[in-house]
Amino acid sequence: MATIIFGLMGIWRGWQMRYRNRLDLISDWDNRPLPNPSAYTESFGRIYIWIGSALVGMPLILWLGLPILIWAGIVAIIVWYWFYAIDAITHRARSAKQ
């Protein structure tokens, strides 16, 4: 259930970033805004929507009979990739500023 909620909130946030131009949502992990947030709306939105969609679909894989330990490992990799991708984009945005 938590995976579905986490995924749905990711999709919702990605939709707001990409299609509603909510520049206040585009920030790093410390909630500091990026130097030029409008340049990164598409990247942030795409990551949040795709990773959120993957997380929403994960309980279906569990229901189909995948062992819980393997399922938890896949979820952990997906969440790690989400954090890594956002960190890479914010790092690129901060280094482009200098």
Side-chain angles (χ1 to χ4, degrees):
M1 189 68 176
T3 308
I4 294 173
I5 292 171
F6 196 56
L8 287 174
M9 292 302 109
I11 293 169
W12 178 254
R13 186 172 177 144
W15 183 269
Q16 288 181 336
M17 287 180 202
R18 189 167 183 183
Y19 298 110
R20 292 194 174 182
N21 288 328
R22 289 276 313 269
L23 300 180
D24 58 317
L25 296 176
I26 302 197
S27 60
D28 62 4
W29 291 116
D30 294 329
N31 211 17
R32 294 178 304 206
L34 295 182
N36 185 9
S38 61
Y40 301 100
T41 56
E42 186 175 338
S43 300
F44 266 76
R46 186 178 329 119
I47 288 170
Y48 272 83
I49 290 171
W50 279 102
I51 299 294
S53 299
L55 287 175
V56 167
M58 286 305 294
L60 178 64
I61 294 173
L62 186 63
W63 182 68
L64 291 175
L66 189 70
I68 189 80
L69 188 60
I70 295 172
W71 179 84
I74 293 170
V75 169
I77 289 170
I78 290 171
V79 171
W80 173 82
Y81 178 74
W82 192 343
F83 293 157
Y84 178 77
I86 296 301
D87 189 52
I89 292 172
T90 56
H91 180 43
R92 187 180 320 137
R94 299 235 184 264
S95 64
K97 177 186 170 192
Q98 297 172 353

